[in-house]
Amino acid sequence: MKVVSTSKSHGGVQGVYSHASEACACDMTFAVFVPPQAKDGPLPVLWYLSGLTCTHANVMDKGEYRRLAAELGLIVVCPDTSPRGEGVADEKDNWQFGSGAGFYLDATQQPFARNYRMHSYIVDELPALIASQFPADMERQSIFGHSMGGHGALTIALKNSEHFRSCSAFAPIVQPMTADWSRPALEKYLGKDEKSWRAYDATALIEDGHRFGEFLVDQGTADGFLKDGLRPWLLEDACKKSGIALTLRMQEGYDHSYNFISTFMDDHLKWHAARLAK
Amino acid sequence: MKVVSTSKSHGGVQGVYSHASEACACDMTFAVFVPPQAKDGPLPVLWYLSGLTCTHANVMDKGEYRRLAAELGLIVVCPDTSPRGEGVADEKDNWQFGSGAGFYLDATQQPFARNYRMHSYIVDELPALIASQFPADMERQSIFGHSMGGHGALTIALKNSEHFRSCSAFAPIVQPMTADWSRPALEKYLGKDEKSWRAYDATALIEDGHRFGEFLVDQGTADGFLKDGLRPWLLEDACKKSGIALTLRMQEGYDHSYNFISTFMDDHLKWHAARLAK
């Protein structure tokens, strides 16, 4: 692991790191905030998965999580959203596929299967690195994310419920199998057989029997992607039918930007911290 | 005034606006946060001046001022740091001069005198626009800034003490006349006669009899510009000799970035809000 940069913030350290990823067969960059309480022993880990077009840097710059994470004693890990770099297959002018659009899945179709393995990266490889390099109590992990990263958080929590104490999302893509901005990506990464897509769709996973304790979801009513791309009511339906506790908060007048995320960041951090307490 | 964008944040509105500036003879862009209390009547205005290389967007994205400004009922105005655009004289590869480096002065030397009139813009033109377009109580204004913007805040407050109830700074350039990164700019904007520079140097203004009630200054000890560019002890000396109350806080381990600024943003907002109360 290489240290790209470190900077003191709210008494802790906001760092950016890179490493040669085996899962993604390329160098990957990620951000970690370590709060000041780390000097007294291992701390719980909160994973934040970002949305389409983002790198690790968007939430690090605009998410406004450090003040309260420093107070609550949470390590916050912010991975990239896809493999990147020379030799990584990409569609340069398509913001909904390739670089910045890994959809937290393991691609099976060439040429993408070589690098686009964000599910394995987030679930297996990066946690092992975090455990070895940071003062992290890996028995206490939670996960959240925004938009495509909300999709990532929900699907990863549903498939790995034993790893995460809690899961929340800002404006998540809850049913990527049927949304115009994600269907083409699923087909290119996973092939034409839609059965294989179900492992990467929160509502399909719930239909197929996966469960998680409870979800907190915030969604802005002025979000331009609400009706076609996000559609939280589909998650609400799936949760009702399956008995999963969902707190869905429709936030009047908020859009899809980090102004929305940062407004409700404190609520999510407190909600996770309560569930990550020893 | 054109609305570039608006976005709900912490119950208020973060907007970006542009207008044809007379002072700078070009279009200028600025950001304004209006907190939710604006529905109940005019609110005090806090000006934030940014540092070298910045636009209005850096502090808007990374400054983390909205949560507490929304709580305290402060309008926060974040101007650009220089004129910009086609026809505006510039030195493309020089980050310490021209675009992004207006130094909050009115240039007297050609070709810069035509556009580089940030002092008039910040002191006269933009306040008039804010007063006419926003629910602002212009009897209650305060000013702060970072680095070159800290220089701007200190010098503008010293020369316009009747306009501002309070003034603070993060890592300000306190004596630009003698610092390597600002001397060449002052010479190009103002000419070789250093007497004309004194109107844009906080320590010289104090020597020349300008006064302000009190200053709050935060400075990181790990700031790479501390010893050669910033040197807050020079302001400390000038304030001691002139009887200006200065609270200078050396913050252990903090650098020059927005991680430093955002860590102490709450302190500054509370400090100004206390002085802006009716």
Side-chain angles (χ1 to χ4, degrees):
Chain A
M1 186 180 84
K2 285 181 204 164
V3 179
V4 176
S5 67
T6 61
S7 178
K8 190 169 177 182
S9 176
H10 291 281
V13 177
Q14 178 64 65
V16 177
Y17 308 91
S18 72
H19 68 125
S21 163
E22 204 172 310
C24 297
C26 66
D27 284 349
M28 293 292 285
T29 303
F30 59 97
V32 180
F33 177 67
V34 176
Q37 296 88 335
K39 68 180 189 310
D40 302 322
L43 295 173
V45 177
L46 180 57
W47 294 80
Y48 179 91
L49 304 185
S50 292
L52 287 165
T53 76
C54 290
T55 68
H56 67 283
N58 300 66
V59 69
M60 184 177 79
D61 289 347
K62 303 183 189 179
E64 305 194 11
Y65 57 80
R66 282 178 291 271
R67 179 187 50 82
L68 196 58
E71 191 181 314
L72 297 170
L74 300 173
I75 292 174
V76 182
V77 180
C78 306
D80 202 346
T81 56
S82 77
R84 290 177 197 273
E86 224 176 309
V88 174
D90 190 16
E91 293 184 2
K92 288 253 156 132
D93 296 325
N94 185 353
W95 64 278
Q96 298 170 349
F97 185 75
S99 286
F103 277 96
Y104 304 101
L105 52 73
D106 284 355
T108 56
Q109 306 299 298
Q110 295 303 347
F112 310 109
R114 182 173 171 270
N115 303 104
Y116 286 84
R117 301 187 66 240
M118 288 300 292
H119 185 266
S120 293
Y121 178 69
I122 299 292
V123 171
D124 297 321
E125 186 177 15
L126 191 52
L129 188 67
I130 297 295
S132 75
Q133 300 286 328
F134 294 89
D137 176 359
M138 302 304 281
E139 299 299 310
R140 292 189 287 159
Q141 296 185 67
S142 289
I143 190 165
F144 69 153
H146 171 236
S147 196
M148 179 184 74
H151 144 77
L154 293 170
T155 54
I156 286 172
L158 282 162
K159 286 184 285 187
N160 302 275
S161 58
E162 72 286 6
H163 289 175
F164 299 102
R165 293 215 187 161
S166 50
C167 172
S168 74
F170 303 101
I173 304 177
V174 305
Q175 195 174 88
M177 289 180 67
T178 61
D180 285 346
W181 64 354
S182 40
R183 278 185 59 84
L186 295 185
E187 184 169 336
K188 277 182 267 193
Y189 287 135
L190 300 170
K192 284 184 194 280
D193 180 1
E194 296 194 15
K195 276 189 210 127
S196 69
W197 304 7
R198 297 181 69 82
Y200 303 108
D201 180 298
T203 61
L205 283 166
I206 294 171
E207 278 177 28
D208 294 348
H210 290 270
R211 293 293 178 268
F212 196 78
E214 58 177 327
F215 295 127
L216 167 65
V217 171
D218 275 315
Q219 172 63 57
T221 64
D223 185 327
F225 302 111
L226 174 55
K227 287 184 185 170
D228 295 327
L230 303 169
R231 305 169 298 167
W233 44 85
L234 299 175
L235 180 66
E236 199 169 33
D237 285 350
C239 285
K240 263 186 198 154
K241 284 179 191 157
S242 63
I244 294 175
L246 167 68
T247 303
L248 171 60
R249 310 191 306 183
M250 298 302 292
Q251 303 288 3
E252 186 62 32
Y254 285 89
D255 62 24
H256 199 64
S257 76
Y258 271 93
N259 286 322
F260 159 63
I261 298 169
S262 60
T263 296
F264 299 103
M265 179 58 78
D266 280 13
D267 289 356
H268 285 243
L269 293 177
K270 284 178 196 161
W271 190 83
H272 287 293
R275 285 150 183 83
L276 287 164
K278 263 190 180 155
Chain B
M1 186 181 86
K2 285 182 205 162
V3 179
V4 176
S5 67
T6 61
S7 178
K8 191 169 178 181
S9 177
H10 292 280
V13 176
Q14 177 64 64
V16 178
Y17 309 91
S18 73
H19 68 124
S21 164
E22 204 172 309
C24 297
C26 66
D27 285 349
M28 293 291 285
T29 303
F30 60 96
V32 180
F33 176 68
V34 176
Q37 297 90 334
K39 68 180 189 309
D40 303 322
L43 295 173
V45 178
L46 180 57
W47 294 81
Y48 179 92
L49 304 185
S50 292
L52 287 164
T53 76
C54 289
T55 69
H56 67 282
N58 301 66
V59 69
M60 184 178 77
D61 289 346
K62 303 183 189 178
E64 306 194 11
Y65 57 80
R66 283 177 291 271
R67 179 187 51 80
L68 196 58
E71 191 180 314
L72 298 170
L74 300 173
I75 292 174
V76 182
V77 181
C78 306
D80 202 347
T81 57
S82 77
R84 291 175 196 274
E86 224 177 307
V88 175
D90 190 17
E91 294 185 1
K92 288 253 157 133
D93 296 326
N94 185 354
W95 64 279
Q96 298 169 350
F97 185 74
S99 286
F103 277 95
Y104 304 99
L105 52 74
D106 284 353
T108 56
Q109 305 300 298
Q110 295 302 347
F112 310 109
R114 183 174 170 270
N115 303 104
Y116 286 84
R117 301 186 65 240
M118 288 300 292
H119 185 265
S120 293
Y121 178 69
I122 298 292
V123 171
D124 297 320
E125 185 177 16
L126 191 53
L129 187 67
I130 297 296
S132 74
Q133 301 286 329
F134 295 89
D137 176 0
M138 303 304 281
E139 298 299 311
R140 291 189 288 160
Q141 296 185 67
S142 289
I143 191 165
F144 69 152
H146 171 233
S147 196
M148 178 184 74
H151 144 76
L154 293 170
T155 54
I156 286 172
L158 282 162
K159 285 185 286 187
N160 303 275
S161 58
E162 72 286 6
H163 289 176
F164 299 102
R165 293 215 186 161
S166 48
C167 173
S168 74
F170 304 101
I173 304 177
V174 306
Q175 195 175 89
M177 290 180 66
T178 61
D180 286 343
W181 64 355
S182 40
R183 278 185 60 84
L186 295 185
E187 184 169 336
K188 277 182 269 193
Y189 287 134
L190 301 170
K192 284 183 193 284
D193 181 1
E194 296 192 14
K195 275 188 210 128
S196 69
W197 305 6
R198 298 181 69 81
Y200 303 108
D201 181 299
T203 61
L205 284 166
I206 294 170
E207 278 177 27
D208 293 347
H210 291 270
R211 293 291 179 269
F212 196 78
E214 57 177 328
F215 295 127
L216 167 64
V217 171
D218 275 314
Q219 172 63 59
T221 64
D223 186 326
F225 302 111
L226 174 55
K227 288 184 183 168
D228 295 326
L230 303 169
R231 304 168 300 168
W233 45 86
L234 299 175
L235 180 66
E236 199 169 33
D237 285 350
C239 286
K240 260 186 201 156
K241 283 178 192 157
S242 62
I244 295 175
L246 166 69
T247 303
L248 171 60
R249 310 192 305 181
M250 298 302 291
Q251 302 290 3
E252 186 63 32
Y254 285 89
D255 61 26
H256 198 64
S257 76
Y258 272 93
N259 286 321
F260 159 63
I261 298 169
S262 60
T263 296
F264 300 103
M265 179 58 77
D266 280 12
D267 289 356
H268 286 243
L269 292 177
K270 285 178 197 162
W271 191 82
H272 287 292
R275 285 150 183 83
L276 288 165
K278 265 190 180 156

